[in-house]
Amino acid sequence: MHTLLRPFAIKSSVDLARLGVILALLGLILFGALRYDNFVSSYNILSFLRYNSMFALIALGMAFVIITGGIDLSVGGTAAMASVVAALFSPSHWAAGLLAGMAAGLAVGALNAFIITKMRIQPFIATLATMLAAYGTGLLLADNQSVSVSYDTGFTIIGQDDFLGFPIPAWIALAAYILGWLVLEKLPIGRHILAIGDGEATAGLMGLKVERTLAAVYIASGTLAGLAGVMLASQFGAGQPTEGVGWELFAIASVVVGGTLLTGGSGSVGATLAGALLLAMVFNILNFENGLGWISLSAYWQSVIRGAFLLVVVVLQAKLMTRHRST
């Protein structure tokens, strides 16, 4: 292919990958609706949205990080620590629990930003270190046990109640994704994020504030992880210092399945949401399949199946992009 035409082929292949995840999600929904009696019941739909909203939030933050060509392994530990912090502050006021949990996430994000932009440590190493630190801090604050939240201040409303017939966590996630879409698609910082993903050095030569933009991205990822931790504590009535294990992998998988390139420079907020819902839908269908009694899959086997499903999707997307690059 001529060099001048190559970017258009790559863009086309990425668009096809994003279309593929949306079609796969719709296909799973149709399959579930036809096979299971209560799959499209209001109870299942609302429970699905309520529980998976926190995973959608960390996937959104991860999408921005990966678009810059980075990675954030600390989101799971950050969410676990934030859930403990939120639970500890919830007796004061529901807003105190909410703000404290988000502040805890923001602090981890700011630490990531400092280590990556000022100390010049690779994001993988930096966020791996803060992940371990966040888990340790959460366990220390919780004294290695769950921390009950206050039911008297209305803190549990955040995770357990509905607004206009829709779960509050889902409203929060929807608002976050709308804001994320506006940032990436309509604001100058969105173009800066994409440019940094194409190449930090080139972006710097263009006069872009690379360090400031990267700092904003990692702070946003940490804050969203903190908000996910608040939802975790509010939904389950306790801060969970041992939760969050594997959340970073779910977030990365959601972003990759949504068609975002791990090399950076390209990404979509909407496709990331579709990727998160797709992976969550796989688990939902497996739970319904267990209920039929034809098979009995433990949580371990469900993880194996979801991992295999992810591998198939990623391999297909890679082949699709390779084919379009060579045509």
Side-chain angles (χ1 to χ4, degrees):
M1 178 189 293
H2 195 281
T3 304
L4 293 175
L5 298 179
R6 188 176 300 276
F8 297 98
I10 294 175
K11 184 178 186 300
S12 175
S13 62
V14 171
D15 289 339
L16 284 174
R18 294 169 186 167
L19 177 61
V21 71
I22 294 174
L23 292 177
L25 177 60
L26 294 176
L28 279 181
I29 294 173
L30 179 61
F31 171 82
L34 294 175
R35 181 166 174 78
Y36 313 114
D37 292 337
N38 298 314
F39 187 79
V40 292
S41 66
S42 60
Y43 175 80
N44 184 54
I45 294 173
L46 295 180
S47 297
F48 175 85
L49 293 174
R50 188 186 314 279
Y51 177 69
N52 289 292
S53 293
M54 51 189 174
F55 300 116
L57 285 175
I58 62 170
L60 175 61
M62 187 68 75
F64 278 92
V65 170
I66 290 179
I67 290 172
T68 66
I71 201 74
D72 187 355
L73 301 179
S74 67
V75 290
T78 300
M81 182 189 71
S83 74
V84 173
V85 173
L88 291 172
F89 277 83
S90 64
S92 301
H93 194 277
W94 67 265
L98 172 63
L99 294 176
M102 293 179 66
L106 186 150
V108 177
L111 180 58
N112 284 333
F114 176 79
I115 296 173
I116 293 167
T117 62
K118 298 301 183 182
M119 300 180 68
R120 303 295 181 181
I121 304 299
Q122 288 296 318
F124 183 91
I125 301 300
T127 58
L128 177 62
T130 54
M131 175 190 74
L132 297 174
Y135 275 122
T137 303
L139 289 168
L140 287 171
L141 292 173
D143 196 21
N144 200 22
Q145 59 186 347
S146 297
V147 179
S148 297
V149 305
S150 172
Y151 286 84
D152 300 326
T153 59
F155 178 74
T156 54
I157 290 175
I158 300 172
Q160 298 179 12
D161 278 25
D162 299 337
F163 177 69
L164 299 178
F166 205 58
I168 290 178
W171 281 113
I172 294 173
L174 178 62
Y177 269 84
I178 291 174
L179 179 60
W181 179 83
L182 290 173
V183 167
L184 188 62
E185 301 293 340
K186 301 299 181 181
L187 298 182
I189 190 175
R191 294 189 290 273
H192 296 174
I193 290 170
L194 291 167
I196 291 171
D198 276 331
E200 282 190 33
T202 304
L205 292 174
M206 293 169 58
L208 302 182
K209 301 184 183 301
V210 175
E211 289 189 0
R212 184 180 300 179
T213 302
L214 286 175
V217 166
Y218 281 95
I219 289 173
S221 179
T223 303
L224 287 169
L227 181 55
V230 172
M231 289 184 180
L232 173 66
S234 181
Q235 282 189 37
F236 295 97
Q240 308 282 346
T242 58
E243 272 292 332
V245 177
W247 285 24
E248 64 282 348
L249 300 180
F250 181 94
I252 295 170
S254 299
V255 175
V256 173
V257 170
T260 297
L261 300 177
L262 282 172
T263 52
S266 175
S268 167
V269 168
T272 297
L273 178 58
L277 293 176
L278 176 62
L279 293 179
M281 188 66 65
V282 172
F283 257 135
N284 192 233
I285 285 180
L286 288 174
N287 288 333
F288 268 91
E289 198 66 34
N290 278 341
L292 291 180
W294 291 99
I295 59 174
S296 179
L297 295 175
S298 67
Y300 308 113
W301 275 110
Q302 291 186 29
S303 296
V304 171
I305 291 175
R306 187 169 69 171
F309 177 81
L310 169 62
L311 178 62
V312 170
V313 171
V314 171
V315 169
L316 289 176
Q317 289 186 356
K319 288 186 175 182
L320 182 64
M321 293 186 66
T322 301
R323 182 182 303 173
H324 277 265
R325 285 193 182 104
S326 60
T327 56

